[in-house]
Amino acid sequence: GFKCWPWSIQQHSKYFFLTTDPIEIHKKKLFLWFSHLPQEERQFGGYFSPETMHVDPLIVEKKPEERAGLVSSPFQTQAISSPSVTVEQLFESTGNCCEGRGLNVLLYGAVGTGKSTVVRKLVLDWCSGTTLTHFKLLVPFSCEDLSQLSKVASLRDMVGRKYLHLTKHPLLSGEGDQAKNVLFLFNGMEKMNLDFRIGSSELCSDPNEALPPGVVVVNLLRKYLLPEASILVTTRLSALDRIPQKYVSRYAQIFGFNDPDRQRAYFTSRLLQQSGETAPYQEAQALVELLYLNLQRESQLAAACFLPSYCWLTCATLHFLHFTDAKAPIRTLTGIYTSFLRLNFGGEVLGTGTGTNVPIQEQQSSLMLYVVRTVGKLAFDGVAYKRTSFSEKELEQWIGGKTKTDEELRQLAMFQTDVLDFFLVPCVESGKHLPKELSESDERQYVFSVPEMQEYLAALYVVLGENKSALEKLTGQVSVAIGQASEDVGALFNILSKFIPLRIFAVFNLIKLFPKLYEKISTYNKGSIARTMAAELFRTEDSNNEDVLDQVEQTLLGVHGPQPKQYSEGKPFELYPIFMGGLLHYGNRVLLQQLGCTIQSTTVAQITRALRKYLVRELSKPQPPEELMDLLVLLYEFQNPRLTAEVIATIRAIPLSNIRMTPLKCFILSSVLSCTPASYHLERLDLSSCLLTNDMLQILWPAFRHTRNLNLQFNSLGPDSCIILRDLLRNPKSAIRSLQLCDNPLQDSGVRTLLEALPENQSLTHLSLMHTGLGDQAALELAGKLQQHTGLQELNVAYNNIRDNAALALVDACREHPSIHTLHLYLNPLSDVGKKSLYVRGVPKSQDGSGRKVRVLASVTEGSDISEDWHPILRVIRENASSWDRQRVKQQLKIFLRDLEWGRQQQQSLWKRLHFRRVEKGVRKTLQMLEKDAPYTG
């Protein structure tokens, strides 16, 4: 049937009234049907506005002798001199048409160029009275539906069966010239085997005569049945000649989006519908601008977006990457690609062509399965040998190399005409990721329309079991053959065993073992798939590349500024194992089943069992943050809570420092950790320098509840973020022991909000508020609240705006606290007298020594002595100096040097003087590092 696309209902409400006019009822029902929002469109969320989604593709009228002229490159369409026409213009009368006869217009194009979208827009516009108004009746038919009809029926019965309200309508009676007001629309003519031979399709002019559906359509096109009616036929390129030229009034080819401006208009209509919210709208606007810049460079993306289908895929992927909503239904990247293929190939079959008497259902096989076995095999070979480009000879070898029979040749010709260009296009970015010997040759190279499609098809090829070894194929065939007669063979063996010699009988027993042997080989093969997934995910040469989600975004938006460092040779295929995991998810398997590609549940179970073992083995080794992020994406795409919980249970730390976090990545992290039981706790979650925002913290809430040591430093979190952190600490199930908020502009207001959680929290032992803009007032309030939290052991308020009085109050509060043993106060504007007072206050007051001593880290010196903590103070300064105020840090280091010089002069011992010199050397080295702007090397 039709792939339904939406249109506005509100703006056409004037047609929604009670009426007995069959035409008005027909318009209403058609409008509701063609306005249906398919499942694939719902992933755009409530922001999606259907009435602004349509962008007219390029439609060019062709002369009969030009109709087979195909475009070899997307960019060649820019040189077409013929103007773009509309469908309405194609039905304008011409001097060549016979008087009293309607027009037969044939609209053709390759898969994905937008034929179905144009048809839907046409029907909706006719219902609203904005186009083709000279036709009183529009009757759409799906050729796929007609091909399934097995009973004979008249034209009026066919119309009445689909549109009950049009039963016996006078416009279809054939009387007079009433049919001139009727337009028939046949979508997808390639799905019917029309035979125009008189001997096969008898002539018929009576709309009440019952005939096979194909014969009725042929007589309509012959203008023998209702000759005054006009007809619009859409078809694929390979079926263009199924309708003889003499029965076609006009040919028109649909080319898709031939220029960046059409593509930009499509992206704008999809991405800028953000419900008026300022922040999402601005982000979407920036995305559209980056996309447009990438398209203008005639990049590989521009070649792909020549097809509107790939524009949809681009928008769906960007919406997934940038506008993921925790409240929306779960979406995965694998799911987007599977839905994309279902939109374009759902119900599509690979027929045998014309000239056969075999029923249409028996002639056809799944087109998607054919794609997997040909293009998927090519994709798998490319991934296996780290290649993204292929020569024409290689395409011929992989896609048609084993074709032998006439039937296979016909199928191959149809596939190459209609589908091959959908997946493979000429390489426009010459020399990129091409082997040296290939890039220097003159032979044209072909690449996948989007790089991720190569990895998806390669993964599908593997998961479907199409890459079986020769041994597995042989044992599988023998196993099936024996299994079909296992009971009879077994009974026969029992009888013959009494008469056949033992040696011969042993051969028969060996044959009986084939099913078990096949099962063992098959299980080993599934284990090798899991091993491949783990090995590809944690490849050493790809360990320093950016995470896969960033790589996907760079493919779409391009790289602006310095090129990212690529440590592996050629293109990394890190999405390949992730797609393999995603394809095992039940939802994707259901969609693939609709496409004729079946993944057995036993296969999923075998791969899952083996995958857990290999992932745990790899995770026992230290992994960089990018690889851990890829693992989280794999587990998220898999959507298997049990496997996820078992793998995460072996992890005690997730260091994601310097990963550019997005709402999607935060959602993935929370989703994965939410699969673990309530008793599981992550020892350390490092999200430092991850560009976190307040909204991301809200998404990360489930992940924080499973964390003991949480590092959020260097994220520019403001006072509003403290509301979320306060509620987190207040939660009875919170297990956070250490909270690092260094280098976030929390300010006094944010710290005050955070302090509200202290009375109710019992888990926190280490709190770092270094360089958070903390002032005297908030520091005094912190001192007053410390006694309400008895578990705190270490407090870091270094590099703030705390002066002497507030610092002394903090030291007194810490000394009276039952458990605090360390207080960091260095890089605060403290006077020399204040520093000396801090160390005095840090020792217990009682003479019997029963009080507690608190380590106060305020400077590298304690009066005239060296501080015991001078080394950790300098280390912290070195590690963070690159992001701190250079002038302020240098000023503090000069104060350290002055204090060290004064203290050295007070010493009589040579050894103490040498110790002072050593500390001075460390301070001077740090100062020189700042002046040279050199990074800290540890």
Side-chain angles (χ1 to χ4, degrees):
F2 287 112
K3 303 164 191 158
C4 297
W5 288 79
W7 200 250
S8 171
I9 291 179
Q10 294 179 353
Q11 73 182 85
H12 303 292
S13 59
K14 62 181 179 180
Y15 290 97
F16 284 45
F17 52 83
L18 296 176
T19 178
T20 57
D21 183 359
I23 299 296
E24 293 300 328
I25 294 174
H26 182 61
K27 288 183 177 181
K28 175 180 177 180
K29 290 182 177 293
L30 272 186
F31 190 85
L32 288 173
W33 182 23
F34 282 84
S35 296
H36 174 69
L37 190 69
Q39 184 68 36
E40 284 79 6
E41 294 292 356
R42 294 174 188 171
Q43 65 187 309
F44 289 100
Y47 305 135
F48 181 60
S49 181
E51 66 269 14
T52 59
M53 62 159 284
H54 184 77
V55 176
D56 290 322
L58 175 66
I59 301 177
V60 176
E61 185 174 3
K62 294 278 189 175
K63 296 178 181 178
E65 60 271 16
E66 298 175 332
R67 67 188 187 278
L70 304 182
V71 179
S72 59
S73 170
F75 298 110
Q76 290 184 13
T77 60
Q78 298 179 6
I80 292 178
S81 58
S82 303
S84 180
V85 297
T86 64
V87 177
E88 186 173 22
Q89 290 173 333
L90 293 172
F91 282 97
E92 294 176 353
S93 60
T94 62
N96 298 329
C97 64
C98 298
E99 188 67 29
R101 288 194 176 188
L103 295 176
N104 289 350
V105 175
L106 183 56
L107 179 66
Y108 62 96
V111 174
T113 50
K115 299 185 298 296
S116 295
T117 306
V118 168
V119 166
R120 280 145 192 76
K121 175 66 162 53
L122 179 71
V123 173
L124 290 166
D125 282 352
W126 177 81
C127 292
S128 63
T130 58
T131 191
L132 297 174
T133 53
H134 55 287
F135 291 113
K136 293 181 180 179
L137 180 61
L138 173 62
V139 185
F141 280 106
S142 164
C143 291
E144 182 180 2
D145 292 343
L146 294 178
S147 69
Q148 303 298 321
L149 296 179
S150 56
K151 296 181 180 178
V152 296
S154 68
L155 173 63
R156 301 187 79 174
D157 288 339
M158 287 169 54
V159 174
R161 179 181 298 179
K162 193 170 185 66
Y163 307 106
L164 183 62
H165 46 277
L166 296 180
T167 303
K168 305 300 181 182
H169 197 280
L171 289 177
L172 302 173
S173 64
E175 299 177 359
D177 62 350
Q178 294 186 88
K180 69 180 181 180
N181 297 314
V182 178
L183 172 62
F184 289 100
L185 196 163
F186 295 100
N187 189 49
M189 185 60 76
E190 70 277 355
K191 295 176 182 176
M192 294 186 71
N193 274 345
L194 300 182
D195 195 339
F196 284 81
R197 295 174 297 178
I198 298 295
S200 301
S201 300
E202 60 183 283
L203 296 176
C204 171
S205 60
D206 184 3
N208 297 302
E209 183 177 350
L211 294 169
V215 177
V216 173
V217 175
V218 165
N219 278 287
L220 280 171
L221 290 167
R222 283 172 173 162
K223 295 303 178 187
Y224 203 76
L225 178 62
L226 298 185
E228 301 85 6
S230 294
I231 301 173
L232 174 63
V233 176
T234 69
T235 188
R236 294 199 304 227
L237 293 170
S238 63
L240 188 58
D241 292 327
R242 292 191 188 179
I243 303 177
Q245 178 183 332
K246 63 182 179 179
Y247 298 130
V248 180
S249 309
R250 280 182 163 180
Y251 290 95
Q253 183 171 359
I254 180 169
F255 286 102
F257 299 150
N258 66 312
D259 60 83
D261 289 331
R262 289 180 191 266
Q263 297 164 356
R264 181 179 186 173
Y266 184 94
F267 296 137
T268 300
S269 69
R270 289 285 173 144
L271 295 175
L272 292 186
Q273 308 301 320
Q274 297 296 326
S275 74
E277 295 183 19
T278 304
Y281 182 85
Q282 291 177 346
E283 183 177 357
Q285 204 167 29
L287 289 178
V288 171
E289 291 301 322
L290 291 174
L291 267 175
Y292 187 60
L293 288 174
N294 201 16
L295 295 172
Q296 285 182 313
R297 292 198 296 260
E298 292 193 353
S299 62
Q300 202 65 54
L301 177 68
C305 289
F306 164 71
L307 297 177
S309 291
Y310 279 103
C311 290
W312 181 93
L313 179 62
T314 299
C315 288
T317 305
L318 283 175
H319 196 279
F320 170 70
L321 292 174
H322 286 270
F323 302 111
T324 293
D325 187 352
K327 298 178 182 178
I330 294 292
R331 291 179 291 121
T332 64
L333 192 61
T334 313
I336 288 175
Y337 273 76
T338 307
S339 298
F340 169 72
L341 292 176
R342 193 180 82 91
L343 271 177
N344 288 279
F345 296 98
E348 296 286 348
V349 292
L350 194 65
T352 60
T354 58
T356 61
N357 296 319
V358 184
I360 188 75
Q361 294 88 344
E362 298 178 17
Q363 299 175 27
Q364 299 169 334
S365 59
S366 166
L367 179 57
M368 192 62 227
L369 190 58
Y370 192 90
V371 169
V372 174
R373 289 172 175 171
T374 53
V375 183
K377 187 176 183 180
L378 176 72
F380 173 73
D381 182 72
V383 170
Y385 293 98
K386 309 304 174 190
R387 296 183 52 204
T388 59
S389 64
F390 310 90
S391 65
E392 293 184 13
K393 290 182 180 179
E394 288 172 322
L395 294 188
E396 183 178 346
Q397 173 189 351
W398 285 105
I399 295 175
K402 295 184 179 180
T403 303
K404 296 179 180 178
T405 65
D406 290 342
E407 176 58 34
E408 289 174 338
L409 286 172
R410 279 195 297 266
Q411 287 189 339
L412 177 62
M414 294 171 64
F415 178 76
Q416 290 177 329
T417 303
D418 294 334
V419 182
L420 189 57
D421 290 340
F422 183 85
F423 292 102
L424 291 159
V425 295
C427 181
V428 297
E429 297 178 355
S430 57
K432 184 176 181 181
H433 297 313
L434 301 183
K436 186 176 181 181
E437 62 273 11
L438 290 180
S439 60
E440 292 178 353
S441 67
D442 294 329
E443 189 173 8
R444 168 169 281 183
Q445 296 294 313
Y446 290 83
V447 297
F448 281 83
S449 299
V450 290
E452 293 78 17
M453 185 58 73
Q454 178 180 355
E455 299 182 70
Y456 179 91
L457 290 177
L460 185 56
Y461 179 77
V462 172
V463 173
L464 284 175
E466 294 296 328
N467 66 327
K468 294 177 182 177
S469 64
L471 177 60
E472 187 177 8
K473 289 180 181 178
L474 174 64
T475 53
Q477 294 168 358
V478 176
S479 176
V480 170
I482 293 177
Q484 291 173 348
S486 57
E487 294 183 3
D488 295 337
V489 172
L492 182 63
F493 282 169
N494 291 332
I495 296 173
L496 295 180
S497 62
K498 301 177 181 179
F499 308 100
I500 297 177
L502 184 61
R503 291 182 181 179
I504 299 178
F505 184 65
V507 175
F508 285 95
N509 277 330
L510 180 62
I511 295 176
K512 290 173 66 177
L513 294 177
F514 259 99
K516 292 184 178 180
L517 176 62
Y518 168 72
E519 183 179 353
K520 288 186 177 180
I521 295 175
S522 177
T523 303
Y524 177 79
N525 181 266
K526 304 304 184 295
S528 68
I529 293 176
R531 185 168 60 251
T532 300
M533 292 171 65
E536 289 291 332
L537 188 68
F538 297 108
R539 288 178 69 224
T540 304
E541 54 268 39
D542 295 338
S543 61
N544 292 312
N545 293 336
E546 297 186 50
D547 64 81
V548 291
L549 295 180
D550 280 354
Q551 291 177 32
V552 172
E553 183 179 77
Q554 288 171 7
T555 300
L556 299 178
L557 302 180
V559 178
H560 301 271
Q563 292 286 331
K565 291 183 178 179
Q566 201 72 30
Y567 295 87
S568 56
E569 294 183 4
K571 181 188 181 302
F573 291 98
E574 295 178 271
L575 260 180
Y576 167 57
I578 291 173
F579 277 142
M580 290 171 70
L583 288 168
L584 300 180
H585 173 49
Y586 176 75
N588 289 320
R589 286 191 285 131
V590 169
L591 292 180
L592 289 170
Q593 181 110 30
Q594 297 173 12
L595 292 170
C597 301
T598 302
I599 302 175
Q600 301 294 339
S601 297
T602 52
T603 300
V604 176
Q606 292 171 350
I607 294 176
T608 303
R609 282 196 299 269
L611 180 62
R612 179 194 174 278
K613 177 179 68 175
Y614 290 116
L615 287 179
V616 170
R617 180 184 301 174
E618 292 293 335
L619 288 172
S620 62
K621 313 167 190 174
Q623 300 292 345
E626 292 78 9
E627 296 297 290
L628 284 175
M629 190 68 241
D630 291 350
L631 168 69
L632 295 174
V633 174
L634 169 64
L635 295 175
Y636 173 77
E637 292 282 327
F638 210 143
Q639 292 290 305
N640 185 323
R642 182 175 179 181
L643 171 71
T644 300
E646 290 175 348
V647 172
I648 294 297
T650 64
I651 300 176
R652 289 303 168 194
I654 300 182
L656 297 177
S657 177
N658 294 308
I659 292 291
R660 185 183 65 90
M661 294 299 284
T662 62
L664 172 62
K665 294 177 187 177
C666 293
F667 182 70
I668 288 174
L669 176 58
S670 287
S671 298
V672 167
L673 287 178
S674 295
C675 295
T676 59
S679 59
Y680 170 79
H681 289 104
L682 196 64
E683 281 300 323
R684 180 170 61 91
L685 176 59
D686 186 354
L687 294 172
S688 59
S689 303
C690 289
L691 304 178
L692 294 179
T693 64
N694 191 39
D695 292 337
M696 293 183 197
L697 288 185
Q698 193 69 52
I699 299 174
L700 286 167
W701 174 284
F704 292 161
R705 287 180 54 183
H706 288 275
T707 304
R708 288 201 170 111
N709 298 300
L710 179 59
N711 187 349
L712 296 176
Q713 62 184 8
F714 296 108
N715 278 299
S716 300
L717 298 174
D720 292 342
S721 303
C722 293
I723 299 175
I724 300 173
L725 296 174
R726 176 200 63 191
D727 296 341
L728 175 67
L729 293 174
R730 277 179 170 176
N731 193 297
K733 296 181 180 179
S734 174
I736 293 180
R737 296 176 181 172
S738 174
L739 179 59
Q740 298 184 50
L741 296 172
C742 321
D743 294 274
N744 289 294
L746 305 180
Q747 305 302 325
D748 283 0
S749 59
V751 174
R752 288 193 188 98
T753 302
L754 198 63
L755 294 180
E756 296 173 10
L758 290 183
E760 301 175 46
N761 178 271
Q762 299 300 322
S763 62
L764 197 63
T765 60
H766 293 73
L767 177 61
S768 177
L769 298 173
M770 180 171 64
H771 196 206
T772 55
L774 189 65
D776 286 343
Q777 191 60 39
L780 290 171
E781 293 183 30
L782 174 59
K785 291 281 184 75
L786 284 180
Q787 297 301 325
Q788 299 177 12
H789 189 286
T790 57
L792 204 60
Q793 298 177 9
E794 186 171 352
L795 177 63
N796 188 342
V797 290
Y799 195 11
N800 280 297
N801 299 311
I802 302 174
R803 302 184 184 279
D804 293 355
N805 292 336
L808 291 171
L810 276 173
V811 173
D812 289 341
C814 291
R815 188 188 61 211
E816 299 301 325
H817 194 275
S819 57
I820 294 180
H821 55 69
T822 305
L823 175 64
H824 300 255
L825 282 168
Y826 43 89
L827 298 185
N828 277 293
L830 303 172
S831 66
D832 294 339
V833 175
K835 292 177 186 177
K836 293 177 183 178
S837 300
L838 292 178
Y839 296 115
V840 174
R841 295 283 188 95
V843 298
K845 286 184 177 180
S846 55
Q847 297 180 355
D848 57 0
S850 58
R852 296 181 59 257
K853 180 178 180 180
V854 178
R855 290 174 59 203
V856 180
L857 283 66
S859 178
V860 292
T861 60
E862 294 181 7
S864 60
D865 293 327
I866 296 286
S867 171
E868 296 178 358
D869 303 300
W870 69 270
H871 192 272
I873 291 175
L874 285 183
R875 186 187 72 248
V876 171
I877 292 174
R878 288 169 183 166
E879 291 175 350
N880 299 282
S882 61
S883 60
W884 285 352
D885 182 353
R886 297 295 181 91
Q887 290 301 121
R888 179 172 173 179
V889 174
K890 286 194 287 186
Q891 183 181 359
Q892 288 291 326
L893 290 174
K894 290 176 181 178
I895 293 174
F896 287 169
L897 286 176
R898 185 197 64 192
D899 293 343
L900 287 168
E901 186 177 355
W902 179 83
R904 176 166 49 81
Q905 293 173 356
Q906 307 304 313
Q907 303 300 324
Q908 301 296 324
S909 169
L910 176 62
W911 293 110
K912 283 191 175 183
R913 287 186 179 182
L914 291 175
H915 188 33
F916 268 87
R917 293 279 188 187
R918 178 190 171 197
V919 178
E920 282 184 57
K921 183 179 179 181
V923 175
R924 292 185 189 280
K925 183 178 179 181
T926 305
L927 191 58
Q928 291 172 359
M929 181 190 75
L930 285 174
E931 291 174 346
K932 293 180 180 179
D933 198 21
Y936 172 62
T937 56

